[in-house]
Amino acid sequence: MQAIVFGGTRGVGRQIVDTFHKRQIPVVFTGTDFFQIKKIEQEYKNPKALRGIPLKMEEPEKFPRFVENVYNSGFQPNVLIFNAGYLSLRQREKDKNLQKLFEINTLAPIMLTEHFLPHMRKKNFGHLIYTCPPYTIDDKVKYLTPYMQSKLAQ
């Protein structure tokens, strides 16, 4: 088993990366902060079992090259975990942020799945996991509803 965690540098994604590593399952993780990626790699000091690759989910034109780099490095993922997400609570930029929210939270996982799926189908094995956070109805829900819906739409 080998996994890719999209959005694996902090929060739930980082916990998933940590869990795979503790179970000695090779994992590639992505994030947007190059320095945070390198910091995590240095914590583990095991480039064969844990490797970070910078990837911005709002740049789909770079997805084919990302996938190519993964396979050319000898990594054969059969578990894809889509945890990366974007959330902005700036009400005044709501329309602009909605577009970015759906590009990152909904469209990017769909496009990345399409790039990896042919490789997984050849092996007739794989798992696709899309994260969606649960929320309770409280005073923050009116700001979080677009985020929740965009993650759920994956």
Side-chain angles (χ1 to χ4, degrees):
M1 180 179 292
Q2 295 182 337
I4 297 180
V5 179
F6 296 93
T9 58
R10 59 184 184 191
V12 171
R14 174 66 193 268
Q15 291 174 346
I16 294 169
V17 169
D18 291 344
T19 299
F20 277 122
H21 191 265
K22 285 177 188 168
R23 293 181 181 206
Q24 299 179 344
I25 297 169
V27 62
V28 166
F29 65 95
T30 71
T32 58
D33 184 338
F34 176 80
F35 297 105
Q36 180 65 18
I37 289 170
K38 292 302 168 195
K39 180 181 171 190
I40 293 168
E41 286 179 331
Q42 289 171 359
E43 285 177 30
Y44 288 104
K45 298 177 185 168
N46 190 348
K48 289 184 180 179
L50 182 128
R51 185 170 150 230
I53 302 175
L55 181 68
K56 291 185 177 181
M57 301 296 271
E58 66 268 32
E59 296 178 346
E61 68 277 4
K62 295 184 180 176
F63 294 170
R65 179 78 176 159
F66 170 82
V67 174
E68 183 181 315
N69 287 340
V70 167
Y71 285 105
N72 286 344
S73 72
F75 198 77
Q76 299 291 316
N78 51 22
V79 177
L80 305 179
I81 300 177
F82 295 94
N83 180 66
Y86 171 77
L87 170 65
S88 176
L89 299 177
R90 296 183 188 119
Q91 194 64 21
R92 65 184 178 277
E93 299 175 9
K94 187 176 178 185
D95 291 339
K96 177 182 163 190
N97 287 329
L98 276 176
Q99 182 67 32
K100 186 174 181 179
L101 188 105
F102 277 90
E103 285 174 3
I104 294 171
N105 297 350
T106 307
L107 299 177
I110 292 169
M111 289 187 271
L112 282 162
T113 297
E114 289 176 353
H115 285 292
F116 280 99
L117 204 52
H119 298 277
M120 296 170 86
R121 290 182 86 176
K122 281 182 189 173
K123 295 188 180 283
N124 201 28
F125 179 76
H127 300 281
L128 304 170
I129 302 166
Y130 304 92
T131 63
C132 179
Y135 284 101
T136 59
I137 303 298
D138 61 15
D139 60 335
K140 292 179 255 166
V141 78
K142 69 179 180 179
Y143 302 107
L144 296 173
T145 300
Y147 173 75
M148 293 183 296
Q149 283 300 121
S150 67
K151 294 291 280 180
L152 183 61
Q154 297 177 79

